[in-house]
């Protein structure tokens, strides 16, 4: 089942897919203050109930610190959050803030779906 998290926006999109005990939140475009409430809503169901969440930022071209705060808050609710960060626009802010020590970060969605925990970003 695929549900859009919000009406289409010309700068970003966030879509949530649910598969059994896995939720994949796919984001694309420029994620800033305007995208925050949409991402918050997409990640609101994260709790200690055992649902594994993958946030796929592979198509994100800009990621503000506000969005990084949403990821950290979601991770604090449940440590089973995995972030797909392939491009420098996402990887660099994560590295600069040292968030790779608190979030599971993988280079692609296939790795995240297999549940592997490869080496953190270098």
């Amino acid at each position: 089942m695929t549900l859009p998290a919000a009406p289409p926006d010309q700068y970003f999109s966030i879509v949530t897919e649910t598969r059994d005990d896995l939720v994949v939140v796919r984001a694309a475009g420029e994620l800033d203050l305007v995208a925050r409430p949409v991402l918050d809503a997409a990640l609101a169901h994260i709790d200690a109930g055992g649902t594994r969440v993958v946030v796929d930022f592979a198509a994100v071209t800009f990621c503000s610190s506000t969005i990084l705060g949403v990821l950290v808050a979601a991770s604090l609710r449940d440590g089973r959050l995995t972030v797909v960060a392939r491009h420098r626009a996402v990887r660099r802010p994560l590295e600069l803030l040292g968030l790779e020590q608190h979030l599971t970060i993988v280079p692609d969605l296939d790795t995240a779906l297999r549940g592997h925990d490869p080496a953190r970003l270098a």
Side-chain angles (χ1 to χ4, degrees):
M1 173 171 86
T2 302
L3 299 172
D9 183 278
Q10 68 183 42
Y11 299 107
F12 73 91
S13 67
I14 297 174
V15 177
T16 303
E17 290 178 47
T18 303
R19 308 174 186 178
D20 300 321
D21 67 340
L22 173 70
V23 174
V24 178
V25 177
R26 294 177 193 254
E30 299 175 6
L31 302 182
D32 57 15
L33 187 60
V34 175
R36 181 186 178 140
V38 180
L39 186 59
D40 271 332
L43 297 174
H45 58 279
I46 296 177
D47 57 24
T51 301
R52 192 165 59 106
V53 178
V54 174
V55 179
D56 184 357
F57 278 5
V60 171
T61 57
F62 173 80
C63 184
S64 74
S65 60
T66 299
I67 297 301
L68 299 178
V70 172
L71 293 178
V72 170
S75 177
L76 292 174
R77 289 194 301 271
D78 183 355
R80 296 178 50 135
L81 180 73
T82 301
V83 178
V84 175
R86 180 181 329 168
H87 299 292
R88 184 172 171 81
V90 176
R91 285 183 25 196
R92 185 71 177 143
L94 291 170
E95 292 169 353
L96 287 173
L97 295 173
L99 295 179
E100 72 273 10
Q101 297 174 15
H102 305 285
L103 299 169
T104 300
I105 302 168
V106 297
D108 56 62
L109 186 59
D110 288 339
T111 302
L113 294 178
R114 285 193 311 264
H116 292 206
D117 188 8
R120 308 261 184 193
L121 292 172

